[in-house]
Amino acid sequence: MLNPTEIKSIIASGEGYNAEFKVSIPNKIKEITEEVCAFANASGGVVLIGVDDANNIKGIIIDNAKRSAIQNSINEISPVLKCDFNIVEVDGKYIAVIEVPSGQNKPYVLSGAIYVRQGPNSQKLTTVEEMRDFFQQADKIYFDDAICKEANIEDDIAKENINTFRFEAGLVNVTSDEQLFTNLKLITNDGQLKNGTVLFFGSNPEKFFEKAVIRCVAFDGIDKRYIIDDKVMTGTLYQQYQKTMIWLKSKLNVRYDIEGEGGKPRKELWEIPETAFKETIINSLAHRDYYDKGARITIEVFDDRVEISNPGGLVSAVPRSEFGKRSASRNPLIFGLFERMRLVEQIGSGITRIRDVMNDEGLTPPEFNIDGMFTVTLRRPFDFEKWVEKWVDKLTENRIDILKNIHKNSRISIRELSDVLGLSLSAIDKNLLFLKELGLLERMNGAKGGYWIIHFKLP
């Protein structure tokens, strides 16, 4: 049973992967049971009733009838799940505390559905396909939630990494390191470290997970023939993110807005928005398949594009039709830690933000390959006029004009090209087919709602 001091520590740490606050009992008591079921299917957690979203203790009075109703609702979870349900006085106010263990008989089902914890939220799964990536066939456990048997907290966890997390998460001096690790379920009940804990706080994570690194490669040209730089970013997941962003900045064109107001520091303007890289890299670190020990996250910089790939395609819990609208993580513990550091926001919004910032800068829409390796391709701005000059002697004037109009508007339609150039639809079709066969042009996402990509090959 949690004591008042431990409860105050959890409240100070805020809601997250292992903590859910309710200011009052919802009209539908099943909402509480869904949270309980989700915790049981993950690494456990605690539901506090009488605490608001701003981490303020409001208190609550629960009579026997309501308490019995909550307990009866929890009893509907199958298989049977035993939870501690207590009323605890904290600072003169009463809080209902439901302590949920990580279930030993996953998956747990409520009313025919499975609920799992994703960052600070619970998500409902309904099909076997959706379960596949959440529960590994052997252990029925997430990689980041499994025990790292070779590591120990005294030798393999770095204090400076904990301090960095505390600062970024706004948890400075809230509680002791030991209590923080307990609150966030970073260790098992018997004090063993989890894989996700070592990846996030380890002094040398690659000692235990050799391929859990980012390989950054820069090429001369638009293919992989000539490597001009090749580095492997090691360290904690957050350190890998920081090192990779610094490396990318050194490979891309960055200009500065020196007209800041009120003495503000000059603003960096990346040729591809920095936000697009932040979202993509954090997504890769949080969602990659760490069970795949033969592959690494790779970032490849070409003259015309940047490709970011990570092991594991689209999580089966997310239908293709919901890609970019809904998210499910293979590593909810890691996702929850990034969420606390405010490096990920609303689940499922990252893909939309990448699309939006590319569109705002007038760049080609990002391309997503969700089969096998999950790959994001971000097209770089290109000196189109210099490039097209090299094709003047190889292409007809009409074909050059088609390329120029597509460069100005990647979403231009065949009919719009016909109107602008004064050519028939069939003539436009024939010229487009020629450019496609030459490898200079590609259509993405079909005729309706799609867009063009120009491949900047040299003649």
Side-chain angles (χ1 to χ4, degrees), residues 69-82:
I70 293 172
Q71 188 61 65
N72 288 339
S73 183
I74 293 174
N75 289 342
E76 293 178 6
I77 295 174
S78 177
V80 175
L81 178 68
K82 294 188 178 298

Side-chain angles (χ1 to χ4, degrees), residues 156-316:
D156 300 306
I157 297 298
K159 174 66 175 177
E160 57 266 30
N161 296 338
I162 300 175
N163 291 341
T164 297
F165 172 77
R166 282 180 173 278
F167 177 79
E168 297 293 339
L171 298 176
V172 179
N173 299 324
V174 168
T175 187
S176 68
D177 290 347
E178 293 77 9
Q179 190 62 52
L180 180 72
F181 271 41
T182 299
N183 291 350
L184 300 183
K185 303 293 184 182
L186 300 176
I187 54 176
T188 63
N189 292 335
D190 57 356
Q192 291 182 285
L193 293 171
K194 297 180 178 180
N195 288 337
T197 310
V198 176
L199 285 168
F200 225 89
F201 301 98
S203 54
N204 186 17
E206 57 272 16
K207 168 184 173 184
F208 305 98
F209 313 107
E210 180 184 1
K211 298 296 184 180
V213 295
I214 300 177
R215 184 187 179 191
C216 298
V217 188
F219 299 93
D220 183 11
I222 63 173
D223 56 34
K224 298 185 179 184
R225 285 182 293 175
Y226 305 111
I227 295 176
I228 57 177
D229 194 15
D230 189 348
K231 286 186 171 59
V232 175
M233 307 306 178
T234 59
T236 67
L237 299 186
Y238 182 58
Q239 289 167 349
Q240 291 179 44
Y241 159 71
Q242 291 180 306
K243 292 176 184 178
T244 299
M245 292 296 287
I246 292 171
W247 183 85
L248 277 168
K249 181 181 173 182
S250 73
K251 302 302 175 188
L252 301 173
N253 297 318
V254 179
R255 57 190 176 88
Y256 298 91
D257 178 4
I258 59 175
E259 298 181 0
E261 298 179 0
K264 294 180 180 179
R266 61 183 184 174
K267 184 179 180 181
E268 294 180 348
L269 301 173
W270 293 33
E271 61 171 282
I272 295 175
E274 186 178 359
T275 298
F277 290 115
K278 169 194 167 184
E279 295 288 346
T280 305
I281 295 167
I282 293 296
N283 180 80
S284 297
L285 292 167
H287 300 313
R288 69 156 284 181
D289 182 1
Y290 287 97
Y291 276 106
D292 186 344
K293 295 180 171 59
R296 297 175 285 197
I297 295 173
T298 59
I299 298 180
E300 298 170 312
V301 176
F302 301 88
D303 286 355
D304 65 335
R305 68 195 186 280
V306 180
E307 295 183 359
I308 300 102
S309 302
N310 64 286
L314 185 65
V315 177
S316 64

Side-chain angles (χ1 to χ4, degrees), residues 222 387-388 390-396 399-400 403 429-442 453-459:
I222 63 173
W387 173 78
V388 81
K390 299 180 184 296
W391 282 96
V392 169
D393 296 333
K394 307 289 183 180
L395 298 176
T396 65
R399 289 164 185 166
I400 292 290
L403 289 172
D429 274 332
K430 288 178 182 179
N431 283 304
L432 288 172
L433 179 60
F434 180 88
L435 292 171
K436 290 177 183 177
E437 291 177 345
L438 201 59
L440 295 182
L441 201 58
E442 185 178 0
I453 290 176
I454 297 175
H455 295 292
F456 294 100
K457 296 169 58 176
L458 294 177

Side-chain angles (χ1 to χ4, degrees), residues 19 35-36 66 108 172 221 240 248 304 346 379 382 456:
E35 305 291 354
V36 171
K66 288 183 179 178
Y108 289 85
V172 179
Q240 291 179 44
L248 277 168
D304 65 335
Q346 182 180 353
R379 299 281 168 179
F382 200 84
F456 294 100

Side-chain angles (χ1 to χ4, degrees), residues 124-173:
K124 178 181 178 181
L125 309 181
T126 56
T127 69
V128 173
E129 288 75 16
E130 288 179 331
M131 292 170 53
R132 188 171 293 124
D133 283 334
F134 286 94
F135 304 104
Q136 300 299 321
Q137 292 300 315
D139 299 323
K140 293 183 180 178
I141 196 167
Y142 299 105
F143 177 88
D144 60 342
D145 203 41
I147 297 170
C148 186
K149 297 178 181 178
E150 299 85 2
N152 66 80
I153 198 165
E154 293 80 14
D155 299 330
D156 300 306
I157 297 298
K159 174 66 175 177
E160 57 266 30
N161 296 338
I162 300 175
N163 291 341
T164 297
F165 172 77
R166 282 180 173 278
F167 177 79
E168 297 293 339
L171 298 176
V172 179
N173 299 324

